[in-house]
Amino acid sequence: MKLVLIVDDIKENLYLLESLLKGYGYATVSANDGAEALGLALKNPPDIIISDILMPVMDGYSLCREWKKEETLRNIPFVFYTATYTHPKDGEFALSLGADRFIIKPQEPEDFMAIIEQVLSEFRNGKIQVLQTHESSEVTLLKEYNETLIRKMEDRMLKSEEAEKKIRIYASQLETEVEHRKKIAQTLKESEEKYRSIFENSGIAILLTAPDGKIFSANDFACKLFDRTEEEIIRIGRDGLIDSSNNPHLSVLLDQRKRVGHAKGELALIKKDGSRFLTEVSSVIFLDKDGNERTSMVIRDLTEQKKAEEALRESELRFRILAESAPVGIFTTDANGSTNYVNPRWCEISKLSYEEAMGSGWIKAIHPDDLDSITLNWQQTNLSNIGLKSEYRFTHPDGSVAWVIGQAVPQKNEKGDLMGYIGTITDITERKEMEDDLISAKEKAIESDRLKTTFLQNISHEIRTPLNSIVGFSRLLSEEELSPEERANYIDIVEQSNDHLLSIIADIINIATIEAGQAKLQEKEININAICQLLSNQFKTKAEKQNIALTFETCNHDNEALILTDGTKLAQILTNLIGNAIKFTKNGSVSFGYQIDNDKLVFFIQDTGIGITPEMHQDIFKRFRQVESSATRQFGGSGLGLAISKANVELLGGQIWVESEIGKGSKFYFTIPYKPASQAE
Amino acid sequence: MKLKALIIEDNEQNMYMLTFLLENNNYEVFQAFNGLDGIKAAIEHSPDVILLDIQLPQMDGYQIAKELRKKSDLQHIPIVAVTSHAMVGDREKAMESGATGYIEKPIDPDNFIQRMESYFSEELQQRKIRL
């Protein structure tokens, strides 16, 4: 077995070459520098030496020189194997020192071994040239040797510097990496703390569990909720917290969580004291860092919410009952004024259905005359923020009308935003009707009072005028130097005035009787023709005095004129109407008569007098009313005549009216029932 | 020489009676049966006193009094309303219209002249006495 001496200051190189050579069946001996190698070789000469160049104590070149000087060693092949080849001269120099080969690292092991075996075979075949003594001087050799070494040293230093630079870069990169990792660790820690803090301090109960119901962790809020310590909760597990008998959909939730990874639902849970409370639980399945299935359970206590909901429901019910049974109409609108609720009473008042009232549907039921005032009121409510009252009408499909007082107030939320309006309507139709009645009653009373005053003034005047004559002329009768004619005239005046006064008093009593409802009918068989003829004769003188032609027109026979009625009242009516006709006619004619019209007798009294304006055709029949105001009245009279006549006609069962034109004359008509005396008997 | 009295009255009997009373008391009497004639007569005769009925045809006594008071040379003449308007307020209405006095009907023939003359001015009363 051949022995190979390997010289290298780097152990790894030694080990590599030893392994390689042993693999090829060589024995090896190693030295760390030239001196050690020389010592070993002298003791036990190898078959070949493989040496590095740069080494401490004695370098390769020195070793080679000493090697070739030793008698026992100079014929042993010397091979340089070096990585520090930088210059072609290095090889030449090595060979000039007597080295057999100069191999540059790295070499493939097979190539390296081929070279080694080639060198050994050359030696066996005696090809090895024994190195001649150097022709060049020792000085030149040394100089060259030094130059080579220095070159090699510089080269190595440069390489070393480069390596150091690289190392520094690596070191800084490493430092950055370490810093980065530190930061990540810090962030992770903070994040973990943050989530831990959320977990611990959130106002909501959280449990960390496994799908099988095992609990790993419970936050403070959860502990408070269950009134248990975290250890207790972990010990009893999910099944100890959930009232499984009272939670029919627990299995549904668990099943859902298993299928889709999360679930949320209401569950009844149990406190330490056994009391149950309703919660909303949301649960999610996730994987922990080791890939285990874990679940979270977030529990929200619904006790307060349920209480609030219950209270709200009760309150809502209460208000609904109030709204549904309230005696006033109630409505609500959105912020735009569009109706979104009305109560039954509202529908009842407006006669609209709930559906018809929605939005702006209610407007169609509002009386057209009230739309403007409603709009105005609405605008003012918006401006002033105060619910203003307004009165308006709903028109019903049947044409009837409901009067209401409406009022709406704006509804605002906590922020002050307008949410809508709430309003009421109160049916005041009855009140309105009463008001109207009262107003008209008041007007009537005022009118009545005014008429009575006028009446009293007239009566006063009418009584005082004849009384003046009676008092005055009675006094004059006592004068002694009166002629018999004067005396007779005075007596006549007093008598006339007496009659006048009596007739006025009779009128007053008449109207008083009628007003008191005490007038009575006394029906008797009478002949109308006879009565008319009598009246015609009575008024003849007066008519002639005024140059008026008075005619009684009849075309009925006496057998038809015999009827059953209150003759006194009939005569009174005719007297009044004929008297008026003559009184109000300055010239022309007055005619009167009657006709039979089925079951009625129609009387007429026509004159060519001053006439009556159309607006007075009704008024003249009213009590205390006269055609002209009292002060300018030309024609005298109590102003009761027509009122008495009308009352009497109605008492007899008929009607009275007038047709008249100013300046042309008037025609009064009145009817009484035609009751022939023969039939009545 | 007599004092002149103008009577404006539509009722013949009243006219007769007032005329009778005034003539018996030494007045010269002018008669008018409506307002228009009354105003004409007042301007024409410049009476010392005017007796005025209130309820008259066409123009009533209140209007006549107002018209008379518009004429400067008639303003001093006492106007005595003689009327059957005897309700509360009628007197005030007459006085507002320009009447100097107010005598209700029925009149008392025994003291009518005395009452009428009580509305005369001092000067007129003196003149009456002197006559």
Side-chain angles (χ1 to χ4, degrees):
Chain A
M1 191 182 280
K2 304 256 192 239
L3 182 67
V4 182
L5 175 59
I6 310 165
V7 192
D8 203 315
D9 59 336
I10 295 164
K11 284 193 170 69
E12 285 81 2
N13 289 345
L14 286 175
Y15 178 75
L16 190 71
L17 285 179
E18 280 170 8
S19 309
L20 182 64
L21 292 162
K22 279 175 183 164
Y24 276 82
Y26 294 92
T28 62
V29 62
S30 298
N32 287 324
D33 60 70
E36 191 189 352
L38 204 57
L40 287 172
L42 290 171
K43 243 186 268 173
N44 182 21
D47 296 293
I48 186 166
I49 177 168
I50 302 169
S51 174
D52 190 18
I53 293 174
L54 280 181
M55 286 177 295
V57 189
M58 182 185 280
D59 62 81
Y61 290 139
S62 302
L63 175 63
C64 188
R65 279 192 64 207
E66 293 303 321
W67 191 272
K68 292 299 175 186
K69 282 180 190 169
E70 293 293 331
E71 262 317 297
T72 52
L73 302 177
R74 99 173 28 147
N75 293 322
I76 298 172
F78 195 106
V79 175
F80 277 112
Y81 182 54
T82 180
T84 58
Y85 171 84
T86 54
H87 202 274
K89 275 190 174 172
D90 288 354
E92 282 173 31
F93 182 66
L95 296 177
S96 75
L97 288 177
D100 297 287
R101 284 290 191 283
F102 190 88
I103 306 170
I104 297 164
K105 287 182 188 173
Q107 285 286 333
E108 286 298 314
E110 292 83 9
D111 296 344
F112 178 77
M113 287 313 297
I115 293 169
I116 296 301
E117 279 176 1
Q118 193 191 359
V119 173
L120 285 170
S121 102
E122 279 172 7
F123 262 81
R124 264 193 315 275
N125 301 332
K127 275 184 187 171
I128 187 86
Q129 48 175 20
V130 177
L131 191 71
Q132 301 298 313
T133 318
H134 276 286
E135 292 105 6
S136 54
S137 69
E138 193 76 355
V139 176
T140 313
L141 188 73
L142 274 175
K143 191 185 163 210
E144 214 168 311
Y145 172 68
N146 281 341
E147 279 175 1
T148 305
L149 268 183
I150 286 165
R151 205 164 47 236
K152 280 192 170 287
M153 287 299 286
E154 280 176 348
D155 185 48
R156 181 163 254 205
M157 274 170 68
L158 275 173
K159 285 199 169 155
S160 161
E161 263 173 33
E162 227 165 77
E164 201 180 327
K165 213 184 276 172
K166 272 184 188 162
I167 285 166
R168 270 204 297 275
I169 288 167
Y170 288 146
S172 122
Q173 279 175 350
L174 207 60
E175 224 167 79
T176 313
E177 180 70 16
V178 167
E179 204 58 35
H180 181 60
R181 298 227 170 179
K182 261 192 201 160
K183 265 187 195 156
I184 288 174
Q186 180 65 24
T187 309
L188 273 174
K189 195 180 162 212
E190 279 171 9
S191 173
E192 206 267 334
E193 273 170 7
K194 194 166 80 188
Y195 285 108
R196 166 68 41 187
S197 159
I198 290 171
F199 176 74
E200 290 300 344
N201 301 319
S202 63
I204 201 154
I206 305 173
L207 301 178
L208 288 178
T209 61
D212 64 0
K214 184 175 160 53
I215 294 175
F216 300 106
S217 173
N219 71 350
D220 283 354
F221 204 82
C223 295
K224 274 185 210 143
L225 193 62
F226 290 105
D227 195 20
R228 291 176 185 277
T229 63
E230 188 175 13
E231 291 71 34
E232 279 175 345
I233 289 174
I234 290 169
R235 183 162 46 76
I236 60 175
R238 187 181 69 202
D239 294 341
L241 298 176
I242 297 181
D243 181 6
S244 54
S245 61
N246 273 327
N247 282 307
H249 53 282
L250 173 62
S251 58
V252 178
L253 288 175
L254 289 174
D255 183 54
Q256 190 195 344
R257 190 179 69 180
K258 200 171 174 185
R259 272 189 295 111
V260 298
H262 57 86
K264 184 173 180 179
E266 286 185 10
L267 290 175
L269 304 182
I270 316 169
K271 284 186 198 283
K272 188 176 188 178
D273 63 5
S275 62
R276 286 165 175 76
F277 61 107
L278 196 66
T279 63
E280 184 195 65
V281 177
S282 23
S283 184
V284 179
I285 298 182
F286 61 93
L287 297 178
D288 71 2
K289 62 183 191 314
D290 300 323
N292 300 312
E293 274 201 341
R294 292 286 180 261
T295 54
S296 69
M297 284 175 67
V298 175
I299 303 164
R300 201 156 64 84
D301 188 357
L302 295 181
T303 312
E304 291 303 314
Q305 186 184 329
K306 287 284 160 186
K307 264 188 211 161
E309 276 174 15
E310 185 58 30
L312 192 66
R313 235 191 325 273
E314 264 175 36
S315 160
E316 233 177 51
L317 183 68
R318 192 159 55 239
F319 282 110
R320 182 162 295 274
I321 291 170
L322 266 177
E324 307 275 286
S325 57
V328 293
I330 298 173
F331 64 91
T332 64
T333 77
D334 64 16
N336 298 321
S338 177
T339 302
N340 49 28
Y341 170 80
V342 293
N343 73 341
R345 179 65 183 139
W346 191 97
C347 294
E348 211 176 293
I349 294 170
S350 67
K351 298 273 188 289
L352 287 177
S353 72
Y354 184 90
E355 289 72 25
E356 285 170 328
M358 290 299 107
S360 53
W362 57 278
I363 289 173
K364 71 169 184 284
I366 298 292
H367 194 286
D369 294 352
D370 296 340
L371 275 174
D372 286 350
S373 70
I374 286 182
T375 310
L376 190 70
N377 195 273
W378 189 262
Q379 285 164 353
Q380 282 176 345
T381 297
N382 280 342
L383 287 176
S384 63
N385 247 338
I386 303 164
L388 297 171
K389 282 183 183 170
S390 66
E391 289 185 8
Y392 53 91
R393 284 162 285 180
F394 282 105
T395 307
H396 296 157
D398 65 1
S400 64
V401 155
W403 269 102
V404 301
I405 288 184
Q407 188 173 22
V409 285
Q411 295 295 297
K412 301 197 166 170
N413 64 11
E414 299 93 23
K415 284 191 271 173
D417 304 328
L418 180 64
M419 303 303 286
Y421 297 84
I422 180 160
T424 59
I425 57 168
T426 308
D427 190 347
I428 53 162
T429 311
E430 268 182 36
R431 203 188 82 190
K432 271 281 173 189
E433 280 166 2
M434 276 166 65
E435 269 175 23
D436 287 350
D437 288 353
L438 268 176
I439 289 167
S440 87
K442 189 187 167 198
E443 277 167 2
K444 269 185 197 157
I446 290 169
E447 174 70 358
S448 168
D449 188 52
R450 198 182 67 74
L451 289 175
K452 274 189 177 153
T453 305
T454 308
F455 166 71
L456 281 174
Q457 279 171 345
N458 291 340
I459 294 301
S460 164
H461 183 265
E462 292 307 317
I463 290 174
R464 280 165 194 271
T465 302
L467 212 52
N468 196 43
S469 297
I470 294 165
V471 173
F473 284 95
S474 301
R475 164 68 184 77
L476 293 191
L477 282 171
S478 63
E479 296 284 329
E480 283 170 7
E481 64 264 28
L482 289 175
S483 67
E485 290 78 21
E486 279 176 325
R487 197 171 295 275
N489 188 28
Y490 293 175
I491 290 167
D492 194 35
I493 287 170
V494 170
E495 281 175 351
Q496 275 179 28
S497 299
N498 262 333
D499 290 347
H500 188 192
L501 193 56
L502 276 175
S503 81
I504 287 168
I505 290 167
D507 271 0
I508 294 168
I509 289 168
N510 241 318
I511 201 81
T513 311
I514 292 164
E515 276 213 321
Q518 287 170 345
K520 289 193 178 76
L521 279 183
Q522 288 180 315
E523 291 199 332
K524 271 189 270 178
E525 190 183 303
I526 55 146
N527 185 327
I528 318 167
N529 284 351
I531 288 180
C532 289
Q533 201 55 59
L534 190 70
L535 287 170
S536 179
N537 293 339
Q538 271 184 17
F539 280 103
K540 207 171 184 104
T541 324
K542 193 176 181 186
E544 276 172 359
K545 225 167 126 187
Q546 283 182 239
N547 243 338
I548 293 165
L550 175 68
T551 38
F552 166 49
E553 296 171 4
T554 181
C555 51
N556 295 294
H557 296 293
D558 280 358
N559 57 347
E560 286 176 314
L562 213 58
I563 65 156
L564 200 64
T565 193
D566 188 327
T568 314
K569 296 231 162 11
L570 180 61
Q572 205 180 343
I573 298 162
L574 285 167
T575 303
N576 172 247
L577 292 175
I578 296 165
N580 278 351
I582 293 170
K583 188 156 74 174
F584 292 106
T585 304
K586 277 184 181 147
N587 46 54
S589 62
V590 172
S591 61
F592 72 101
Y594 72 95
Q595 282 171 337
I596 300 166
D597 179 11
N598 297 320
D599 57 346
K600 284 186 292 190
L601 284 172
V602 183
F603 288 86
F604 68 89
I605 299 90
Q606 188 167 20
D607 66 52
T608 56
I610 56 168
I612 302 159
T613 56
E615 57 269 25
M616 292 299 287
H617 287 186
Q618 301 290 322
D619 280 359
I620 51 167
F621 296 105
K622 288 180 180 165
R623 282 159 199 178
F624 318 130
R625 190 71 75 134
Q626 285 178 302
V627 173
E628 294 179 77
S629 77
S630 59
T632 55
R633 197 160 42 88
Q634 277 192 64
F635 302 101
S638 64
L640 288 172
L642 282 174
I644 292 167
S645 294
K646 183 169 188 277
N648 281 333
V649 167
E650 284 165 1
L651 206 61
L652 292 174
Q655 287 175 304
I656 187 166
W657 69 94
V658 67
E659 290 170 1
S660 180
E661 210 178 318
I662 280 287
K664 289 197 175 169
S666 309
K667 191 169 184 182
F668 280 82
Y669 294 91
F670 74 92
T671 62
I672 61 168
Y674 178 47
K675 291 188 271 188
S678 51
Q679 274 180 19
E681 280 166 9
Chain B
M1 186 72 183
K2 292 176 177 180
L3 288 182
K4 292 183 278 185
L6 170 61
I7 308 170
I8 307 174
E9 164 69 83
D10 68 329
N11 185 296
E12 281 181 34
Q13 293 170 5
N14 287 341
M15 182 65 94
Y16 183 94
M17 182 136 52
L18 291 174
T19 306
F20 180 92
L21 290 173
L22 286 163
E23 283 179 349
N24 276 6
N25 281 277
N26 206 27
Y27 281 84
E28 186 185 354
V29 175
F30 300 94
Q31 295 184 335
F33 288 88
N34 61 57
L36 209 61
D37 289 347
I39 291 165
K40 276 191 216 161
I43 293 165
E44 189 185 340
H45 302 295
S46 286
D48 296 300
V49 61
I50 298 169
L51 295 177
L52 180 63
D53 185 21
I54 294 299
Q55 186 164 323
L56 288 166
Q58 289 123 28
M59 189 187 276
D60 70 23
Y62 304 124
Q63 286 172 287
I64 295 166
K66 280 179 193 163
E67 286 300 317
L68 289 175
R69 287 300 178 223
K70 279 182 192 166
K71 305 192 187 309
S72 56
D73 48 344
L74 301 179
Q75 274 174 2
H76 68 282
I77 303 172
I79 299 172
V80 180
V82 183
T83 176
S84 51
H85 282 267
M87 304 294 286
V88 177
D90 285 347
R91 167 186 282 272
E92 285 70 23
K93 203 171 167 190
M95 303 308 267
E96 271 170 31
S97 304
T100 318
Y102 185 90
I103 299 173
E104 290 161 17
K105 291 178 186 173
I107 56 165
D108 178 356
D110 290 335
N111 63 15
F112 176 76
I113 297 298
Q114 197 190 332
R115 281 192 69 185
M116 179 190 78
E117 286 177 352
S118 71
Y119 297 115
F120 283 10
S121 65
E122 193 76 12
E123 185 267 326
L124 189 57
Q125 284 181 7
Q126 289 302 320
R127 201 140 61 85
K128 166 77 181 161
I129 292 164
R130 280 199 299 275
L131 286 171

